Amino acid sequence: MAADEWRLCVNWLVQCKILPDDHRATHPEAQAFDLAQALRDGVLLCHLLNAIKPYCVDAKDFSPRPQLSQFLCLKNIRTFLVTCEKEFKIESRDLFEPPDLFDVKNFRKVLHTLSKLSKTDLALKKGVRGFPQHNDNEEPEEDIYGNLSDMAIDHDIEDNEDLYDSVYQEGGDDEIYEDLCSTKRTRHKQSRVSTSSVSELPPPTTKRDYCIKEMVDTERNYVDALRMIVMQFIKPMKSVISHTDKEIIFSQIETMLEVHTGFHAELHRACTTDKPKIHEVFVKWKPKLLIYGDYCSNLPKAQEHIEELTKKNEQVKEKIEECERDANEARFRLRDLLHVPMQRVLKYHLLLRELIKNTDRAVNDVSSLQIALEAMQDLSLYVNEVKRDNEVLQLIQDIQNSITDLQMPQNTSLRDYGKLQKDGELKVRSHVDNKVRQRYIFLFDKVMLMGKSKGETYSFKEAIVLAEYKVDGSSAVKDGNRRPDKWNCSFQIVKQDNSMAYTFFAKTEEIKNKWIEAINLALDNTQPAAGKNFIMTTFSEPKVCDICGKLLRGVFFQGYKCPVTGMCVHKECIGKKKQEQTPPVTPHRREKYKAKVEYVGEPNPRPRKALLFKVNAIIEVTQKEHDWWRGKCDDQDGWFPSQFVEEVRQYNKQSKRARRPAMPDSGYIPVVIQRGTNKVKFGSVNTTLSKDINRSDCLEQMDWYVGPLARDQAGERMKKLPDGTYLVRDSENPQRKGNPALSIKFSGTVRHIKIEKNSENMYYMADTRFFHSLPELIEFYQKNSLSDSFPEVQTNLLYPYKSVASNPQATNGITSPLRVALPPKPENSTAGQRIMSYATAVYDYAATATTQINLKAGDRIAVLSKTGSDKGWWKGEHLATHKVGYFPFAYVREEDEE
């Protein structure tokens, strides 16, 4: 075969929509190993078969998120090979062996199998030509794949989370949900069942109105969808299936219809009469929505039961097909319709987030909506973890079935020993006989199982109760019989009384460290440092944490219980007092200021209400707009001149203060406090602060200032301009309306940065540098890179917007301190992944798997991927520890770019 056959394979996979167009294997400098890495876990191979022949690989037969488990990766590869032989009639001699791909021992054979697959009749029917196009049976003179197995040792399996989301997904769940629940959906007469006589909402006039309308209308459509399943599947099928079959397939559907009918009616009432409040509806109905935990647990069983019934009972098969035709013109299968409830329950927090985003804080109480958002985020995370826990339980059962001679204590199974933390091959030396043996290790929270691999099964050899051992990673024992560069990275686990020890040898230092991390985490899960008396527990019913009030996540060892007090808590809540875990319900910091003079309502902030106060009164500031601020004092709320107050914690009488007068279009009279007196002088824009006023007036003449402009409009104006182009605008964001913001284009993307003022009226973007005026700030960043404070923006301010807007190519003629953007700084800890945004933790979170990161309230995270959002997780880098992993996005607040 041609030496560039792997590139032909890449091209074929791109045309099959399995690899994205910009995957690194498509780059000119790519190597064959880049393709091997993308395929090693078997996920894309199984998706490939389903893309060629839909549903030929059942979802239960492969793991779409193997989480770097060798056991799951090999299971996926074997599923691919079995399906190739069974469904695509590829002869066994043309199939590679699992280690040929996982360990990349024979990548040429892997390519040979894929070439055969590309030329099958089923594959050719997709309209994509096979590779290579000619039959070339000659071996190339150069073996370009010979070193891939060594590269596989040095490079562990990659987490392809982003890649998985670019490929074909079974069932087209999003399409089904949109068809049934979207506000834009086409109503088919077969599927349309009127909810009731509930009236439509009035036509929306604002973005907030549209958010409310979408929330109510999609809920109505969802009730229609549930009623359709009840009326056009459950009732007609009663004649052909038993009551037991019905309970398995349609578990909770009828209860859901009852719940959501009531929920929709109350939500509609809240949105039309404001009684009850919207947030009260979500909080009230949250306990009833916990039925989605049971529904989620039962869903795989329900779908599998449908398949079994239709295969063995022709009458049932015909009836289901008849119902599908009557209900939705056979566009969707029944098993796919059963996904819709799962999708709906995970939409509520997204709808509320959008509503909050478009709610004017000056008019509405956003903090109450934050309560509803937290409730729905909590529900979403619970449901997602129920789903994940059921996948974990299935994995543990598969492992137990694969260990042929495993003898468990009576009434005990592997699931009693906690979650799987890691698995894979290690060399093990027992200090009993000092012999080194190759073993396959399954590490659970409570026990380490050692076995000998026998192809698809394992022979049990030994079990170690982890609580009796401690880890010693400092040992440097060498196995003299091994090559110096392989299997010589060692660590020990030693019994607490030093009566026994085992030495483990890993292929690389990186693999060794991952094993040590996993063992230490397993020990901490069962013996948490914050409270040794708390026992890791599986709760049979949904349980709320006694400290933070949030649901314990999932259904399998989802929390801890103290046998003395009976308290049930999250791992991160052990040892805490109840009030310590309560975060602020509003994402905006409220600063306290002290009144320097009495304010009796003059000047008046018409048409808004004035907040009256006396000298030395303490005001809690909630909103700032130029020289007018909003705050609370003595349970009163209103507006007042900002010059009347000083910040309690930062005021310095000796410092120089540059006061920012009202902008020309603010519509408010500037207020000046004469130094050394409590009297107030009301002036025009041409008097007391003329020096500062002139500084503000000259903004209109600056080639970087554009006045009021929304961030979306700024992005649109600058998208075709060169990197380094910047402008300063007055924000149109309801929360910051009128306050300045910097928009800068870097690396093809327009970024937006808030420009703030401190208590002494000094301008700043990062709270380490302060400036007396906007021109002074801009001048500094023309000469100095933004990257010191904003690592994702590694450039100076290069090209003022007005100077390049008319001619984007004319950047050479613009006077600028630096004409070329600075080269990107290396981001080793993120492995080259682009930072999407930054987030701040608002809750503590204790990792329970090595793929997760620990969070403390206030920690900052660089968000690298949001492709796990539908499951409640984001991927990011902890900016203090530099660990990359997953975290629940409901536990962080994304930092507003503007």
Side-chain angles (χ1 to χ4, degrees):
M1 292 185 178
D4 63 349
E5 184 188 17
W6 71 270
R7 290 193 181 275
L8 298 176
C9 181
V10 169
N11 184 57
W12 179 66
L13 291 172
V14 169
Q15 292 184 69
C16 291
K17 301 189 183 327
I18 296 301
L19 286 180
D21 294 341
D22 59 350
H23 187 268
R24 67 169 177 264
T26 65
H27 299 171
E29 67 277 11
Q31 303 177 28
F33 188 69
D34 293 320
L35 174 60
Q37 276 289 75
L39 303 179
R40 282 178 71 190
D41 60 12
V43 176
L44 294 183
L45 293 180
C46 292
H47 281 307
L48 171 64
L49 296 185
N50 276 339
I52 297 173
K53 184 180 180 183
Y55 309 110
C56 67
V57 179
D58 197 286
K60 72 178 188 300
D61 294 329
F62 84 104
S63 173
R65 297 290 192 276
Q67 295 293 325
L68 313 185
S69 164
Q70 182 173 335
F71 179 84
L72 288 175
C73 293
L74 290 171
K75 176 186 175 182
N76 288 344
I77 294 171
R78 293 188 186 107
T79 297
F80 168 79
L81 294 170
V82 168
T83 308
C84 280
E85 188 171 14
K86 181 180 177 182
E87 299 288 340
F88 293 84
K89 311 304 179 187
I90 298 176
E91 297 183 16
S92 58
R93 68 171 181 266
D94 290 319
L95 298 173
F96 62 86
E97 295 296 323
D100 293 339
L101 176 55
F102 184 80
D103 296 319
V104 204
K105 289 184 175 180
N106 189 350
F107 196 55
R108 173 169 286 109
K109 189 62 179 286
V110 175
L111 293 173
H112 174 78
T113 301
L114 291 173
S115 175
K116 290 291 184 182
L117 175 63
S118 74
K119 296 178 180 179
T120 60
D121 291 340
L122 288 170
L124 293 173
K125 285 180 181 178
K126 304 299 290 186
V128 180
R129 299 176 68 178
F131 75 96
Q133 295 176 15
H134 58 282
N135 291 320
D136 186 357
N137 295 319
E138 295 182 8
E139 291 291 329
E141 295 180 3
E142 178 186 5
D143 184 7
I144 64 172
Y145 307 119
N147 68 333
L148 296 190
S149 59
D150 290 335
M151 294 179 71
I153 293 173
D154 295 331
H155 299 81
D156 206 353
I157 312 167
E158 292 186 344
D159 182 357
N160 289 319
E161 186 82 18
D162 290 343
L163 187 58
Y164 301 151
D165 275 44
S166 71
V167 301
Y168 173 90
Q169 298 292 320
E170 180 182 356
D173 297 343
D174 289 339
E175 180 186 349
I176 300 170
Y177 178 84
E178 286 299 314
D179 186 274
L180 295 176
C181 299
S182 169
T183 55
K184 299 178 181 179
R185 75 185 182 98
T186 301
R187 302 271 176 140
H188 297 270
K189 64 180 181 179
Q190 287 88 349
S191 62
R192 175 62 175 151
V193 184
S194 176
T195 51
S196 66
S197 58
V198 175
S199 60
E200 296 280 343
L201 291 175
T205 57
T206 66
K207 287 185 178 181
R208 186 175 190 273
D209 292 343
Y210 278 102
C211 292
I212 291 175
K213 182 173 175 57
E214 180 181 10
M215 185 183 295
V216 176
D217 287 355
T218 54
E219 184 65 21
R220 177 200 62 202
N221 293 343
Y222 176 55
V223 173
D224 285 353
L226 290 174
R227 183 173 283 106
M228 178 263 289
I229 295 175
V230 170
M231 301 298 293
Q232 298 186 267
F233 283 93
I234 296 179
K235 290 188 175 182
M237 289 177 62
K238 281 183 178 180
S239 60
V240 295
I241 61 174
S242 67
H243 179 74
T244 302
D245 291 333
K246 177 232 176 187
E247 289 300 308
I248 294 174
I249 297 173
F250 299 107
S251 169
Q252 303 289 354
I253 290 289
E254 291 171 308
T255 304
M256 286 177 181
L257 174 59
E258 181 181 345
V259 167
H260 283 275
T261 299
F263 175 68
H264 170 254
E266 200 157 320
L267 182 63
H268 184 276
R269 190 160 58 251
C271 294
T272 52
T273 68
D274 208 30
K275 293 181 181 180
K277 299 288 187 182
I278 292 176
H279 77 278
E280 293 173 341
V281 177
F282 282 97
V283 172
K284 172 185 173 181
W285 288 83
K286 177 185 173 182
K288 295 185 180 181
L289 297 178
L290 292 178
I291 59 173
Y292 281 91
D294 287 339
Y295 184 81
C296 174
S297 297
N298 185 72
L299 183 58
K301 184 179 178 181
Q303 293 175 316
E304 188 174 341
H305 199 66
I306 292 172
E307 297 301 315
E308 291 174 356
L309 282 178
T310 54
K311 286 179 180 178
K312 68 181 183 181
N313 190 321
E314 188 66 27
Q315 184 183 7
V316 172
K317 179 182 177 181
E318 291 176 356
K319 190 64 177 178
I320 289 178
E321 291 175 349
E322 177 188 333
C323 291
E324 289 170 347
R325 287 193 300 271
D326 291 343
N328 57 73
E329 299 173 345
R331 298 191 311 284
F332 310 123
R333 301 187 305 168
L334 171 60
R335 62 166 291 155
D336 299 328
L337 288 173
L338 296 180
H339 275 287
V340 173
M342 283 295 298
Q343 290 176 286
R344 180 58 188 175
V345 75
L346 301 178
K347 297 289 185 186
Y348 293 125
H349 72 280
L350 301 176
L351 292 166
L352 283 166
R353 189 183 294 273
E354 194 66 20
L355 177 60
I356 290 172
K357 178 181 175 182
N358 290 284
T359 294
D360 185 355
R361 286 168 168 78
V363 179
N364 299 275
D365 182 12
V366 174
S367 61
S368 60
L369 288 176
Q370 288 283 349
I371 295 172
L373 174 61
E374 289 187 12
M376 291 301 100
Q377 284 181 328
D378 189 34
L379 175 67
S380 173
L381 189 58
Y382 164 74
V383 172
N384 274 311
E385 289 309 286
V386 169
K387 184 176 187 296
R388 198 165 69 137
D389 280 353
N390 279 285
E391 292 171 355
V392 168
L393 289 169
Q394 183 58 55
L395 166 62
I396 294 173
Q397 187 60 53
D398 290 344
I399 292 173
Q400 183 167 334
N401 294 340
S402 70
I403 306 176
T404 54
D405 49 359
L406 179 63
Q407 298 296 318
M408 300 294 296
Q410 190 174 4
N411 299 322
T412 303
S413 70
L414 266 185
R415 64 188 294 171
D416 297 311
Y417 293 95
K419 297 180 180 181
L420 179 72
Q421 291 297 340
K422 190 169 178 59
D423 66 281
E425 292 178 316
L426 291 173
K427 298 277 187 180
V428 183
R429 174 185 288 161
S430 168
H431 290 208
V432 173
D433 58 12
N434 225 28
K435 289 185 178 180
V436 178
R437 301 174 176 88
Q438 186 158 329
R439 292 289 181 253
Y440 196 96
I441 310 295
F442 292 102
L443 176 66
F444 295 87
D445 283 319
K446 300 181 181 181
V447 69
M448 175 188 285
L449 298 184
M450 300 187 194
K452 185 175 182 180
S453 178
K454 293 185 174 181
E456 297 184 24
T457 60
Y458 305 87
S459 176
F460 174 72
K461 295 300 179 184
E462 199 166 355
I464 297 174
V465 178
L466 290 179
E468 299 175 359
Y469 286 79
K470 57 187 176 182
V471 180
D472 180 6
S474 63
S475 60
V477 181
K478 298 289 184 180
D479 181 0
N481 297 321
R482 304 299 306 164
R483 283 174 47 184
D485 60 336
K486 289 187 178 182
W487 298 104
N488 263 324
C489 301
S490 63
F491 66 94
Q492 290 185 342
I493 61 170
V494 183
K495 208 161 188 179
Q496 298 286 358
D497 60 4
N498 294 319
S499 62
M500 182 61 183
Y502 294 86
T503 300
F504 297 87
F505 300 92
K507 291 180 180 180
T508 67
E509 195 71 18
E510 180 185 4
I511 294 174
K512 162 196 158 180
N513 291 334
K514 287 182 178 180
W515 275 100
I516 292 175
E517 180 187 10
I519 295 171
N520 283 330
L521 180 62
L523 288 169
D524 190 61
N525 283 344
T526 55
Q527 305 168 67
K532 301 286 186 182
N533 57 332
F534 278 82
I535 300 173
M536 190 171 68
T537 305
T538 294
F539 299 92
S540 58
E541 297 292 333
K543 200 78 176 174
V544 170
C545 175
D546 290 324
I547 297 297
C548 70
K550 292 183 177 294
L551 291 163
L552 299 181
R553 302 175 289 267
V555 291
F556 178 51
F557 285 114
Q558 66 267 49
Y560 291 78
K561 185 172 184 178
C562 177
V564 179
T565 64
M567 289 184 67
C568 304
V569 297
H570 295 108
K571 183 180 179 182
E572 58 268 18
C573 295
I574 296 174
K576 291 186 177 181
K577 295 180 181 179
K578 194 162 188 176
Q579 62 270 24
E580 291 180 356
Q581 187 65 15
T582 304
V585 295
T586 172
H588 295 277
R589 181 169 63 94
R590 295 190 173 184
E591 303 164 311
K592 289 188 177 179
Y593 287 76
K594 184 172 69 174
K596 295 189 289 185
V597 296
E598 181 180 6
Y599 177 51
V600 295
E602 289 295 336
N604 196 284
R606 294 185 183 91
R608 297 182 286 200
K609 177 185 175 183
L611 177 66
L612 311 182
F613 48 74
K614 296 188 179 297
V615 178
N616 295 326
I618 300 299
I619 299 102
E620 186 182 60
V621 175
T622 58
Q623 190 173 347
K624 297 180 180 180
E625 289 187 9
H626 298 294
D627 285 322
W628 288 93
W629 291 358
R630 184 180 184 181
K632 292 184 177 180
C633 180
D634 297 332
D635 295 326
Q636 298 297 312
D637 178 271
W639 293 81
F640 59 92
S642 63
Q643 289 92 338
F644 281 35
V645 299
E646 63 188 10
E647 192 166 9
V648 172
R649 58 185 175 84
Q650 293 183 353
Y651 178 61
N652 182 350
K653 293 182 179 179
Q654 304 303 319
S655 63
K656 295 182 179 179
R657 291 185 292 275
R659 294 179 178 82
R660 180 188 178 194
M663 297 296 287
D665 62 348
S666 67
Y668 297 111
I669 302 172
V671 182
V672 180
I673 299 176
Q674 293 181 332
R675 192 165 302 187
T677 179
N678 282 346
K679 295 181 179 179
V680 182
K681 177 181 179 181
F682 307 110
S684 68
V685 294
N686 294 317
T687 56
T688 314
L689 292 180
S690 58
K691 182 177 179 181
D692 294 281
I693 296 294
N694 290 336
R695 187 178 296 142
S696 292
D697 284 343
C698 74
L699 288 182
E700 293 290 350
Q701 303 171 23
M702 296 295 178
D703 54 2
W704 39 260
Y705 179 72
V706 297
L709 187 68
R711 60 183 293 171
D712 292 344
Q713 293 172 313
E716 185 65 26
R717 289 189 186 184
M718 298 174 68
K719 69 179 182 180
K720 294 183 179 180
L721 299 183
D723 281 0
T725 302
Y726 66 97
L727 59 81
V728 174
R729 56 191 174 80
D730 293 335
S731 175
E732 292 287 280
N733 186 325
Q735 297 128 25
R736 300 192 70 249
K737 190 173 180 65
N739 289 322
L742 173 73
S743 298
I744 170 81
K745 186 174 182 185
F746 174 71
S747 192
T749 302
V750 179
R751 316 295 177 93
H752 308 278
I753 303 172
K754 291 184 288 187
I755 300 177
E756 304 278 21
K757 287 178 71 179
N758 67 3
S759 61
E760 298 171 356
N761 286 332
M762 303 287 281
Y763 292 91
Y764 69 94
M765 292 193 296
D767 56 10
T768 55
R769 296 187 183 278
F770 299 88
F771 307 92
H772 289 85
S773 67
L774 282 176
E776 185 180 337
L777 180 149
I778 295 300
E779 183 180 0
F780 175 84
Y781 286 108
Q782 285 174 337
K783 299 175 181 177
N784 299 274
S785 175
L786 290 159
S787 62
D788 288 341
S789 303
F790 306 96
E792 73 277 22
V793 189
Q794 296 159 13
T795 182
N796 298 40
L797 302 180
L798 302 180
Y799 310 123
Y801 169 75
K802 292 179 183 176
S803 300
V804 294
S806 59
N807 184 5
Q809 305 303 319
T811 53
N812 290 335
I814 297 172
T815 302
S816 176
L818 186 65
R819 297 192 181 286
V820 182
L822 298 176
K825 292 182 178 179
E827 296 178 349
N828 298 327
S829 58
T830 58
Q833 285 188 263
R834 177 178 173 270
I835 296 173
M836 299 180 66
S837 62
Y838 289 88
T840 301
V842 292
Y843 301 102
D844 293 354
Y845 176 73
T848 56
T850 56
T851 55
Q852 301 170 8
I853 55 178
N854 291 305
L855 297 176
K856 288 286 186 184
D859 288 353
R860 292 187 76 230
I861 308 99
V863 180
L864 304 177
S865 172
K866 297 182 180 180
T867 54
S869 294
D870 59 330
K871 298 169 182 62
W873 297 82
W874 286 349
K875 183 180 180 181
E877 178 194 358
H878 194 292
L879 294 181
T881 65
H882 297 295
K883 178 176 173 60
V884 175
Y886 293 90
F887 58 92
F889 72 74
Y891 279 51
V892 304
R893 179 180 70 245
E894 194 167 13
E895 295 175 4
D896 190 2
E897 286 184 318
E898 187 195 313

